[in-house]
């Protein structure tokens, strides 16, 4: 089943063309990695997919519904979650509180029910905590024992883990991970590869931006390559590894559309 369809997406900032007619598909259950040199347009595309940036040309379909014009929270409600290059946590809240916030859009309690506190509100909160603890348990004992610690006290690597955990607690159908191993050592990176495979086993589809080729080759079902905002290759890891256009892009050969 086709989960995400990127259809000739073009995005410019003034005179700078960040994306040009980018198209590809993601099937349900896949792990697809989006790679390319710095400035290739990867994060711009992520921001278009989850509604942080508008889509002036082209379309993006998620579960066959066009996302054009939708706000990030509307897209999240349809079953998409993401992380960022720099973790965006509530630093003055605990790990567990950050997790419960991640389920906010799934909760039914509003202003009056929150004030009156009928029994179903307490049940809903308990279920949110239970789900949060279950997700935290996936993170190799790095987060669960510290569930009452403030997010600001975490190491950079654990902040990245918490952001992934918070995205997972929203029960996404599609998870966008932006540089999930940034700032991690090789041992921690191995843990992320194992985590990505666990997430796939949970029935969640993943789209990943990553620079670490060990992660890319060890976790991806398919790879899409951008350079100067254009898709230059798409295929299996072994195919991408030997693709001449990809090699040239990473070796720094000038792009035909680059200014002299």
């Amino acid at each position: 089943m086709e989960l995400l369809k990127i259809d000739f997406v073009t995005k410019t900032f003034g005179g700078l063309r960040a994306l040009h007619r980018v198209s590809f598909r993601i099937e349900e259950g896949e792990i697809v990695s989006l790679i390319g040199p710095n400035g290739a347009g990867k994060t711009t595309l992520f921001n278009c997919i989850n509604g942080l940036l508008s889509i002036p040309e082209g379309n993006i379909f998620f579960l066959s519904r066009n996302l054009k014009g939708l706000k990030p929270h509307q897209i999240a409600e349809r079953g998409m979650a993401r992380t960022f290059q720099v973790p965006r946590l509530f630093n003055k809240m605990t790990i567990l509180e950050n997790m419960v916030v991640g389920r906010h859009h799934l909760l039914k309690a509003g202003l009056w029910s929150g004030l009156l506190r009928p029994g179903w509100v307490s049940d809903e909160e308990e279920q949110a905590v239970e789900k949060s603890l279950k997700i935290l348990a996936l993170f190799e004992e790095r987060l669960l024992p510290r569930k009452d610690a403030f997010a600001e006290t975490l190491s950079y690597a654990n902040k990245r883990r918490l952001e992934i955990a918070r995205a997972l607690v929203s029960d996404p159908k599609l998870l966008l991970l932006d540089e999930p191993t940034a700032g991690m050592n090789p041992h921690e990176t191995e843990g992320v590869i194992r985590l990505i495979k666990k997430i796939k086993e949970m029935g969640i589809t993943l789209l990943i931006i990553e620079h670490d080729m060990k992660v890319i080759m060890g976790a991806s079902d398919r790879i899409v390559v951008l350079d100067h905002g254009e898709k230059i290759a798409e295929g299996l890891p072994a195919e991408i590894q030997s693709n001449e256009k990809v090699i040239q892009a990473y070796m720094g050969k000038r792009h035909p559309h680059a200014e002299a």
Side-chain angles (χ1 to χ4, degrees):
M1 174 184 171
E2 184 179 87
L3 191 69
L4 186 73
K5 179 181 179 182
I6 312 296
D7 202 23
F8 299 105
V9 170
T10 295
K11 180 71 178 177
T12 59
F13 299 96
L16 174 65
R17 189 179 67 189
L19 298 169
H20 181 64
R21 296 181 64 80
V22 174
S23 296
F24 62 90
R25 314 284 186 268
I26 298 179
E27 298 293 321
E28 189 174 10
E30 282 191 302
I31 299 174
V32 176
S33 290
L34 184 65
I35 69 171
N38 289 333
K42 303 181 297 294
T43 296
T44 298
L45 182 57
F46 259 35
N47 289 339
C48 288
I49 293 171
N50 90 309
L52 285 176
L53 290 176
S54 62
I55 309 167
E57 296 181 44
N59 295 285
I60 297 177
F61 298 91
F62 178 53
L63 292 170
S64 301
R65 299 183 67 177
N66 200 333
L67 301 183
K68 201 165 187 174
L70 296 185
K71 302 296 184 184
H73 73 275
Q74 295 172 314
I75 295 172
E77 288 169 356
R78 284 162 171 74
M80 188 186 301
R82 74 165 290 183
T83 65
F84 294 84
Q85 288 182 358
V86 178
R88 300 186 181 185
L89 301 172
F90 297 101
N91 285 321
K92 299 299 182 181
M93 296 172 66
T94 67
I95 289 175
L96 185 56
E97 288 168 342
N98 268 274
M99 293 293 292
V100 172
V101 167
R103 285 191 69 81
H104 174 73
H105 69 280
L106 300 175
L107 304 181
K108 298 177 182 177
L111 175 61
W112 289 109
S113 55
L115 291 173
L116 298 174
R117 305 290 299 174
W120 65 265
V121 172
S122 297
D123 291 343
E124 191 177 59
E125 290 175 351
E126 289 176 7
Q127 290 168 9
V129 169
E130 183 180 341
K131 176 70 173 183
S132 298
L133 294 175
K134 182 178 179 180
I135 294 296
L136 287 174
L138 296 173
F139 288 77
E140 300 180 337
E141 303 301 319
R142 292 180 180 272
L143 296 180
L144 185 59
R146 302 187 62 190
K147 66 181 185 297
D148 296 322
F150 288 108
E152 65 182 357
T153 67
L154 299 177
S155 67
Y156 183 75
N158 277 338
K159 286 181 178 179
R160 298 201 70 85
R161 292 186 181 98
L162 177 54
E163 192 172 43
I164 296 172
R166 188 178 62 184
L168 285 174
V169 83
S170 68
D171 291 333
K173 296 178 178 67
L174 175 64
L175 177 61
L176 312 181
L177 298 180
D178 196 346
E179 302 280 4
T181 68
M184 294 188 179
N185 61 39
H187 176 71
E188 291 169 334
T189 296
E190 287 285 351
V192 172
I193 294 174
R194 292 194 297 272
L195 175 63
I196 288 171
K197 292 178 178 178
K198 285 181 185 177
I199 293 172
K200 180 180 179 179
E201 290 171 0
M202 293 165 61
I204 299 171
T205 305
L206 295 102
L207 177 59
I208 305 168
I209 293 176
E210 184 55 68
H211 283 293
D212 191 321
M213 285 301 155
K214 187 173 184 180
V215 178
I216 295 297
M217 296 301 164
S220 306
D221 295 315
R222 285 190 302 114
I223 300 172
V224 175
V225 189
L226 298 183
D227 186 30
H228 290 82
E230 297 186 15
K231 188 181 80 172
I232 61 170
E234 179 179 354
L236 301 175
E239 295 170 339
I240 296 301
Q241 202 168 21
S242 59
N243 186 292
E244 185 61 29
K245 287 184 179 180
V246 177
I247 294 169
Q248 289 177 358
Y250 275 94
M251 292 300 289
K253 182 176 178 178
R254 294 190 67 82
H255 191 275
H257 297 299
E259 294 181 1

